[in-house]
């Protein structure tokens, strides 16, 4: 059936956009950790109509598809499907279809990257900006929002700021969600719920359809931007203070808190191989390194968006009052002119994407970080654990303790961030970073992942995002059955292999 | 089949909680406008287990059910089902199950009213509050959120601040959404999306299930509250200015704009029958009345929540700068002590529900407004038109023009509000208010409703919320088919009569 499908896809979208050679299949089937699923082919349609045609073929011939947008899902499996499948690569759908500075939105295709969007807005001298991923600037804006990725700055709960999805269903038909189902009315890009049941959630963290277009909301550039940068020794009071600031609306931005290991990996990029050959990083070296560059055990920012100078100053004073007793706080002002934001220390909070985070996939590599990052190709080891937990100091202490203990005993640095994306929950993201070229590390990393995953789940911290490595999150059987029932009616032939 | 079901329900929940007498069925089948659907019985289970048992009977015997919580859906059909059905009345499920002031949430059952919740929080001297409906204080907190009602104050986009739904499905099984499917973990009431596809949207503005419990998020009481009250003559610049304030995050509250008729109905409660017997209200009287009490052609508020005095002052100054050139603006301060909020002018913006709006259902009645409002019983005529439109001055002008012209020519006062619930869209809500005891008014009101509805839809302003009077909103046929497919798999026997 695969051969027949490949033949029809070639006819539909051209030979050069259907890849079946070993080298490219092997590349597409390589993640930042060991995987077993095979990529059967890669097909690269150019537009929505071609996507529909390709999906219809798969539906008819019952060939499993795995959609990817930019394939930069590093730490979650990159482009590797969760079962043997053909990769439906949407990178060629890279148009910015609509932009309205006044109403604060942009409508894009899934191949549009954070970098592309930020350059587009810069070129248009726009006074609005997108929340950007903490991951790579080369990632897909749409895919990150649909996977419920966290963003920097305001609108950081990225799935909360996307609407009017254009979705190719598993049978190749297309629908438009929200008010977009009434055609291209001006209201479509401006409101999320539509009328009747709200369906967008079905197409988030799922494989019920392929989103080929969506509207992303943008934030206005502030009259006065202030970035509070802090470091602290004690975690629980810091977390409780940040929750208070979020709940009170002092900041609308994601409040990241990085442990020293994470902050050091941003700062130095790579492991201090020139000073030691021992792994994991010895405690005394860890302390010396962080003290040497003025980092704390915990480090983070609170981004403040003032609608006037006095507003920005008032927000700064509230943060100073709340954080000063428990942290060292410094304040940086942002540039008044958005065109100068690229150069600012606070650039990510003003919509400028970056690769500081992505570069840390090379932390344990002994060769230098290349200009063009490709951790899949370069055999970087990188596995995410992404768990939801209360925005609460005591719980944060529990998670920190688990990560510290388990990572150390497995031989990895405890790389941990606690992201205050919303007001009441924290996204705890821990990265197992290693070198895939070191014998046995793939296995040891995955054992550590599985162990920490089950410990966190047992303590009441379920995953909020899954990669191909993440065990199924079943919970209530009747709930799982409902998801399966819906999957069966939407995707009767299992084209996208929907899973709950 | 109905008789058999009634017998089984009587055995399950007690004779006194299964109503079949004409008087009570007639009451349950009476709305604030003419309807034709019949209420076949009313069943009133006491708890979730009884709801499940009752639904299982309906599923087995294929008896159509119509769930209501408090039945105060005035202007949308009250308790009247959208087809002949048994009313499943959830009013007895009125427990406040969980409350956490520190994390800012409360978990309630569907019978809990806005008034009950506000008294509970007051009794607990809580420094957190709920966004309250602009409708009646006797309405259900959960039902209003699920119907995507708009709230006053912060968290006004009420469906955006509800999570961990407990849902009885059409077969009587129960599920819990979000992280609640993993049991009563501390994270369940604190985060919306869970992991995997987000399903809560399926149970909003739909009849795919009955929600018997949910968590509602609460806002902290501000260190300094300031209410800007404004009136203005020109609508478009006012709307554009308010959008700017919302987008910049100056206010997190819903920004209501009421036309003079709406504001006068709040102010006077009833039509000036002592001064005139002519309807609709003549233009010169309308102008005289509004000038007499210092109202403008357009009137509204911007609620400001300061985390410090300086923060509140800075927000006030931004609003003054933006609105003063186009409106008369006065500022009121709220009390520092939440216990004093009941008496404040700004009470609704601090979580105190009210019946100013609900009382206006009696606008055209010639007898006085009773102490206990019951517009269904009292033959008040009240029909909502609820349409989504861009948060844009020019569009606001178009909607105003349609409502003014069409209401006047049908003999009604153009009662219009434009609510800035979110940053980019306005909820345009127009009320046709009349006296059902006047011959021919029911028909004339519904003709006016249907005409304005279709004019607004044609201009690109679809309904954002439907009552039993609202024509089906089909749009894309493939989208409607998807909703039908999901309905068929969730509710194969049509117990809740799911509709798209």
């Amino acid at each position: 059936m695969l051969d027949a499908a490949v033949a029809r896809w070639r006819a539909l979208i051209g030979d050069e956009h259907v890849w079946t050679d070993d080298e490219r299949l092997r590349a597409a089937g390589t993640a930042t950790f060991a995987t077993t699923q095979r990529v059967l082919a890669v097909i690269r349609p150019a537009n929505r109509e071609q996507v529909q045609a390709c999906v219809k073929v798969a539906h008819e011939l019952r060939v499993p598809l795995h959609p990817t947008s930019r394939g930069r899902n590093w730490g979650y499996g990159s482009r590797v499907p969760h079962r043997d499948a053909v990769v439906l690569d949407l990178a060629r759908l890279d148009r910015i279809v609509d932009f309205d500075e006044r109403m604060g939105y942009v409508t894009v295709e899934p191949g549009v990257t954070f970098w592309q969007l930020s350059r587009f807005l810069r070129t248009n001298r726009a006074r609005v900006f997108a929340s950007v991923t903490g991951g790579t600037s080369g990632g897909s804006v749409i895919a990150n929002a649909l996977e419920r990725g966290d963003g920097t700055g305001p609108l950081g709960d990225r799935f909360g700021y996307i609407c009017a999805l254009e979705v190719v269903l598993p049978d190749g038909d297309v629908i438009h969600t929200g008010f977009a189902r009434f055609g291209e009315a001006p209201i479509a890009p401006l409101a999320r719920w539509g009328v009747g049941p709200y369906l967008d959630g079905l197409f988030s963290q799922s494989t019920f359809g392929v989103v080929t277009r969506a509207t992303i909301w943008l934030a206005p550039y502030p009259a006065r931007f202030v970035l509070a940068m802090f470091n602290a020794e004690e975690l629980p009071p810091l977390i409780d203070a940040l929750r208070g600031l979020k709940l009170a609306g002092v900041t609308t931005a994601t409040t990241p808190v990085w442990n020293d290991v994470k902050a050091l990996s941003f700062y130095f990029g790579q492991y201090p191989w020139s000073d030691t050959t021992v792994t994991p990083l010895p405690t005394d070296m860890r302390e010396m390194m962080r003290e040497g560059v003025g980092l704390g055990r915990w480090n983070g920012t609170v981004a403040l968006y003032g609608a006037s100078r006095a507003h920005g100053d008032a927000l700064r004073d509230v943060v100073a009052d709340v954080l000063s007793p428990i942290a060292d706080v410094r304040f940086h002002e942002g540039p008044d002119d958005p065109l100068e934001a690229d150069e600012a220390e606070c650039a990510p909070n003003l919509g400028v994407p970056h690769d500081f985070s992505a570069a840390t996939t090379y932390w344990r590599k002994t060769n230098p970080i290349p200009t063009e990052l490709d951790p899949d190709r370069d055999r970087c080891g990188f596995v995410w654990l992404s768990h939801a937990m209360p925005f609460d100091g005591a719980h944060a202490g529990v998670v920190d303790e688990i990560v510290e203990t388990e990572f150390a005993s497995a031989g990895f640095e405890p790389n941990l961030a606690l992201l205050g994306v919303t007001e009441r929950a924290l996204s705890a993201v821990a990265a197992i970073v290693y070198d895939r070229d070191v014998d046995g590390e793939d296995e040891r990393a995955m054992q550590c992942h599985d162990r920490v995953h089950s410990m966190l789940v047992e303590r009441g911290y379920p995953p909020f995002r899954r990669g191909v490595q993440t065990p199924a999150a079943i919970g209530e059987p009747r709930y799982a059955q409902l998801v399966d029932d819906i999957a069966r009616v939407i995707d009767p032939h299992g084209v996208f292999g929907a899973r709950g």
Side-chain angles (χ1 to χ4, degrees), chain A residues 228-247 251 255-260 295-302 319-330 389-397 400 416-420 423 426:
Chain A
M229 302 177 73
F230 59 80
N231 57 52
E233 295 309 305
E234 292 292 318
L235 182 62
L238 178 65
I239 293 296
D240 290 329
L242 291 172
R243 183 189 63 246
L245 292 172
K246 288 280 290 181
L247 279 170
T251 181
T255 51
V257 174
W258 304 292
N259 74 356
D260 52 351
L295 288 169
R297 175 72 178 80
W298 299 98
N299 309 272
T301 65
V302 181
V319 172
D321 284 352
V322 169
L323 290 188
S324 293
I326 53 174
D328 281 336
V329 194
R330 292 139 290 145
M389 52 170 288
F391 204 138
D392 171 84
H395 284 287
D400 176 41
L416 177 65
L418 302 170
L419 308 172
E423 289 78 16
L426 285 176

Side-chain angles (χ1 to χ4, degrees), chain A residues 268-281:
Chain A
F268 290 102
Q270 289 187 295
Y271 199 81
W273 294 122
S274 50
D275 300 317
T276 183
T277 54
V278 175
T279 59
L281 193 64

